[in-house]
Amino acid sequence: MTAWLRNAWYVAGFADEFAAGRPLARTLLGEPLVFFRGEGGTLVALADRCPHRFAPLSAGRVCEGGAIECPYHGLRFDGDGRCVHNPHGGGAIPKAAAVRSYVVRERDRLVWLWAGDAAAADEALIPDFSRVTSAPDDAAVRGYMPTACDHQLLVDNILDLTHADYLHAGSLGSGALSRCRPQVTDLGERSARVAWISSGDLAPPAFDMHLREQGQPTDQWTEVTWTAPGCMLLNVGATLQGEPHSQGIDTLNLHLATPETEGRCHYWYWTTRNFAVVNAYSRRSAATRPPLAAIACSRISGSSSESRLR
Ligand code: FES
């Protein structure tokens, strides 16, 4: 059985997935949870299991005042997991009528869950991804893929991007990553950075087409910063050889992996670019994305992939 890191922040989703008045069920680190907006719209997360007869609270409703009502016999629980209403037997509230609550924070349009000891939850450890999440919608593409592997394999995939030269040879790979030596920087106990810097190679096809001249030697940078357990910020860009980076094209990409159950994880991505910043480009990207991503995006948004990825 996998021993996931507990005292750490995990992404639980995009903030706009969590609508007021609508409980959302999501399993993280093997634990079925219910998220809902309590009093004042504050997002809370509780174990998705009523202590009475174990009905899923996510099938219930959010009541006035921000408590969630169990769909089976009507016990209500507040954002701290305390039972605050019992419609039976004169309203007495049994001591054991409580559910586990989790520390949840919204930051930069993302929702974060602290999976361990609540007293140890340090908000300063939430990575700052505002450079990505504040990008205008017409310069961004985001989505979700339910993924049938441990989240550590996604981390492995993004931290070793030499696979792009082979797996994505027609789009994101040019051979430059395999030819240069990665620079690895230890950023402390929770983070590390890997960078591939090259000069003289052609840009990958997906980048070359957006440079001022095509088929020319370039300077390229690919840099990924990993924050444990599953957050990666990837910066990839290219410019004509010898020209400043500011004259080239640049992308910032979030890859966010959170364990769901044994052998499965949630995978959210969010990419921004400094070129082709028009709605039509994003719409075309969404239309040509592999079907799995499009299906997954429509699943979490309850709407079409087109609207999710706009
Ligand atoms: S199972 Fe929830 S109130 Fe009975």
Side-chain angles (χ1 to χ4, degrees):
M1 180 152 178
T2 306
W4 292 299
L5 289 177
R6 287 284 161 181
N7 281 344
W9 291 103
Y10 289 89
V11 169
F14 297 133
D16 55 11
E17 292 179 72
F18 302 87
R22 196 182 70 194
L24 186 150
R26 179 156 293 164
T27 296
L28 302 178
L29 288 85
E31 296 173 27
L33 305 177
V34 55
F35 292 82
F36 62 96
R37 293 196 179 276
E39 200 163 13
T42 304
L43 192 62
V44 298
L46 303 178
D48 193 12
R49 179 177 149 110
C50 179
H52 179 222
R53 290 286 183 263
F54 315 133
L57 295 173
S58 56
R61 68 184 182 101
V62 180
C63 305
E64 235 173 88
I68 191 165
E69 183 179 270
C70 177
Y72 202 177
H73 309 98
L75 290 179
R76 292 181 187 176
F77 302 89
D78 68 9
D80 293 323
R82 287 182 302 234
C83 182
V84 292
H85 178 69
N86 176 5
H88 309 278
I93 293 177
K95 259 193 183 157
V99 286
R100 181 179 174 185
S101 68
Y102 292 77
V103 179
V104 177
R105 293 290 180 269
E106 284 185 74
R107 182 76 57 82
D108 301 323
R109 302 172 68 190
L110 292 170
V111 170
W112 297 85
L113 180 106
W114 180 264
D117 175 14
D122 180 356
E123 291 185 44
L125 295 176
I126 297 176
D128 180 0
F129 293 142
S130 57
R131 282 197 300 158
V132 177
T133 57
S134 64
D137 283 351
D138 59 359
V141 175
R142 61 178 175 144
Y144 169 81
M145 285 192 271
T147 303
C149 74
D150 189 276
H151 76 295
Q152 292 179 85
L153 289 176
L154 274 180
V155 173
D156 179 79
N157 175 264
I158 302 297
L159 282 180
D160 181 3
L161 287 169
T162 52
H163 72 268
D165 287 341
Y166 299 90
L167 197 60
H168 311 297
S171 55
L172 301 174
S174 69
L177 289 167
S178 302
R179 280 190 284 276
C180 69
R181 191 177 180 80
Q183 303 159 18
V184 180
T185 307
D186 186 343
L187 300 175
E189 65 176 7
R190 290 172 186 262
S191 190
R193 180 175 298 143
V194 186
W196 294 261
I197 308 296
S198 67
S199 184
D201 281 288
L202 298 184
F207 282 70
D208 186 71
M209 63 188 286
H210 292 290
L211 290 171
R212 195 178 67 251
E213 294 175 41
Q214 282 68 56
Q216 299 298 316
T218 61
D219 293 331
Q220 296 178 47
W221 55 96
T222 300
E223 183 179 284
V224 56
T225 302
W226 167 64
T227 303
C231 296
M232 289 153 288
L233 176 63
L234 172 63
N235 177 211
V236 185
T239 191
L240 295 176
Q241 192 173 26
E243 293 192 351
H245 286 197
S246 58
Q247 289 188 21
I249 60 172
D250 193 61
T251 68
L252 266 181
N253 315 274
L254 284 178
H255 299 273
L256 308 165
T258 298
E260 182 182 17
T261 55
E262 188 87 16
R264 296 196 62 85
C265 68
H266 301 282
Y267 175 26
W268 290 273
Y269 58 88
W270 198 327
T271 77
T272 73
R273 60 188 183 275
N274 71 348
F275 57 95
V277 182
V278 290
N279 268 320
Y281 182 86
S282 292
R283 287 171 184 275
R284 192 169 65 244
S285 297
T288 56
R289 185 159 292 103
L292 177 61
I295 291 165
C297 288
S298 64
R299 258 190 223 163
I300 63 166
S301 67
S303 60
S304 71
S305 60
E306 180 84 3
S307 62
R308 163 56 60 187
L309 294 169
R310 204 168 40 213

